[in-house]
Amino acid sequence: MRFVNELMTSNCYVVFDDQTKGCVIIDPGSEKSEREIAFVNTNHLKLDYIVITHEHTDHNWGVNALMSEFPNAQLISSEICRQRAKKTNKMYFLLYYDDPDYRYVLNEPDIVIKDDMSHITWNNQNVTFIMTPGHSFGSMCIKIGDMLFTGDTIMPYKPYFNGRDSNLDDWETSVEKIGMMLPEDTIVYPGHGEKLSLSEWLEQYR
């Protein structure tokens, strides 16, 4: 299930299992996560994990609301994302939020991913974390089954590099790694825009 986050349009995904009712939410970027909370409750799901692909606020603004509503859920991020989230969030609200006194501090993650290709087991399958710095220093992709959640590393249009916490050379290395290690029929669920196959994206990139 995809929700388009509010204020700063980006994608939030709810991955769930019809049998076990367990679910994972990736990149909740709406402040109060109201639609995500309603979806979990209406469908009688159990939120196991919240995963953020990188430190930019449009991908994590709703984390705290979800953790307040579902205190047993565990937050997962990369180590660099954990370190940089506070500075990044401050910058974003200066640009987008019309309230100079507003403060948002992302909750500390329960699980910090430090090594490339780390994984956890969820619903009897591996969830693999692939470090993909480039768009941001703390970016990572998440592979669940044949689905790849890429944040802003792979999108259906040209990626953005702000010059402060991004690096084109790192990004090129990251996407080349993705292209070599995963089948081209892998379905990419990007941080912005519609889903596409890895082969479709590679045709554009190459």
Side-chain angles (χ1 to χ4, degrees):
M1 180 67 183
R2 178 178 72 133
F3 294 99
V4 177
N5 293 315
E6 296 171 342
L7 183 60
M8 298 162 280
T9 56
S10 54
N11 291 331
C12 170
Y13 298 98
V14 184
V15 182
F16 61 97
D17 186 297
D18 283 324
Q19 300 300 315
T20 68
K21 296 296 184 180
C23 75
V24 175
I25 294 182
I26 299 171
D27 282 359
S30 298
E31 180 185 15
K32 297 180 181 179
S33 289
E34 292 174 326
R35 292 168 300 167
E36 293 82 356
I37 290 170
F39 184 83
V40 170
N41 288 331
T42 299
N43 290 280
H44 307 290
L45 302 176
K46 174 181 175 290
L47 179 56
D48 296 316
Y49 297 106
I50 305 162
V51 188
I52 51 179
T53 59
H54 62 292
E55 58 268 30
H56 294 161
T57 308
D58 56 331
H59 295 263
N60 64 51
W61 195 23
V63 163
N64 293 358
L66 282 172
M67 296 185 76
S68 178
E69 180 73 16
F70 306 108
N72 292 325
Q74 293 186 292
L75 175 62
I76 303 176
S77 81
S78 73
E79 171 63 21
I80 297 176
C81 173
R82 183 194 70 79
Q83 295 172 7
R84 297 189 60 86
K86 295 180 177 63
K87 178 188 291 188
T88 301
N89 288 338
K90 180 180 179 180
M91 174 198 72
Y92 263 76
F93 289 114
L94 289 174
L95 292 172
Y96 291 106
Y97 205 73
D98 189 21
D99 183 352
D101 297 321
Y102 182 80
R103 295 292 181 270
Y104 169 73
V105 178
L106 181 67
N107 286 354
E108 282 289 312
D110 301 285
I111 300 174
V112 178
I113 306 300
K114 298 180 180 180
D115 299 316
D116 191 26
M117 302 305 293
S118 296
H119 70 270
I120 61 172
T121 301
W122 174 73
N123 276 356
N124 296 316
Q125 61 181 326
N126 282 340
V127 178
T128 303
F129 304 98
I130 307 167
M131 297 302 171
T132 52
H135 169 74
S136 79
F137 295 151
S139 290
M140 68 178 181
C141 296
I142 300 100
K143 184 177 184 299
I144 306 176
D146 62 355
M147 301 178 292
L148 183 69
F149 299 90
T150 57
D152 291 357
T153 297
I154 293 178
M155 299 184 288
Y157 40 82
K158 185 177 180 180
Y160 172 66
F161 300 95
N162 62 25
R164 293 181 299 273
D165 66 343
S166 59
N167 183 287
L168 176 60
D169 290 339
D170 287 346
W171 176 80
E172 289 180 341
T173 298
S174 292
V175 296
E176 286 171 5
K177 177 174 71 174
I178 292 291
M180 289 188 295
M181 69 183 293
L182 296 179
E184 291 195 358
D185 60 355
T186 299
I187 303 301
V188 171
Y189 294 83
H192 300 264
E194 301 294 328
K195 68 179 180 181
L196 69 166
S197 70
L198 184 58
S199 62
E200 289 174 317
W201 186 82
L202 287 169
E203 286 180 8
Q204 301 174 33
Y205 170 63
R206 290 170 175 164

